[in-house]
Amino acid sequence: MILGSTEIDKLIQKKKLLENYLEENIEGAGVDLRVGKIFHLKSGAKLTTSERVLPEIEEINGRHFVLKPDHYVLIQTMEKVNMPLNICARMLPRSTIQRSGVYQFHAFIDPGYSGTLTFGMKNLGKFDFEFEKGTKIAQIIFELVKGKTKAYKGKYQGGKVT
């Protein structure tokens, strides 16, 4: 079951579901998230059954950014989530992003995760896409988890980018 704005607001007040959010960004069944930090990938990566090597990253300074065609960046949200054990979440791109030829790569947000959110963004179009830090870029949708669950124990707890 997807949570509506009144349930989201209750969880924000009682459980600090979201921190550093703007109240006007709470929509009917989700919350718009804003661009916090932007990162370039500086190296390759590797993922096997016995080894995980993440890419080196470099933060991009400045308020404005131009995403060139075929360029890929990591975006870290300004907002922080604190997921209770009975709530999970998914992120979706705002429709303006897709209409601009830009695609986002989101991961599932597990119960028990706490931290900022990081996702990939790539310009699939033929033209530059300009945006700035603080811009509404994605939406988070919260869902109720029915039954017993486990808390997230992964390496990105706390909002670690890589």
Side-chain angles (χ1 to χ4, degrees), residues 23 41-42 57-58 62 72 83 89 104 106 110 116 118 128 151:
E23 192 170 327
L41 275 59
K42 291 180 57 176
I57 58 171
E58 176 180 57
Y72 180 87
M83 303 298 292
Q104 293 178 354
H106 301 120
D110 287 298
T116 56
T118 301
D128 291 353

Side-chain angles (χ1 to χ4, degrees), residues 1 29 48 66 69 75-76 109 126 130 139 150 154 161:
M1 172 193 318
T48 68
V66 176
I75 304 290
Q76 186 178 49
I109 303 149
K126 295 180 181 180
E130 186 177 343
Q139 186 177 59
K150 295 180 190 176
V161 177

Side-chain angles (χ1 to χ4, degrees), residues 70-136:
D70 206 38
H71 194 161
Y72 180 87
V73 293
L74 293 175
I75 304 290
Q76 186 178 49
T77 63
M78 292 176 79
E79 295 78 10
K80 176 185 174 187
V81 297
N82 298 298
M83 303 298 292
L85 289 179
N86 66 334
I87 303 291
C88 63
R90 301 171 199 268
M91 288 176 59
L92 300 169
R94 290 178 46 96
S95 65
T96 300
I97 305 304
Q98 293 174 322
R99 294 167 202 253
S100 301
V102 175
Y103 189 79
Q104 293 178 354
F105 303 86
H106 301 120
F108 185 76
I109 303 149
D110 287 298
Y113 174 78
S114 180
T116 56
L117 301 167
T118 301
F119 61 93
M121 195 162 82
K122 184 171 184 172
N123 186 344
L124 300 176
K126 295 180 181 180
F127 305 100
D128 291 353
F129 176 69
E130 186 177 343
F131 64 101
E132 64 182 6
K133 292 178 181 176
T135 301
K136 295 189 294 187

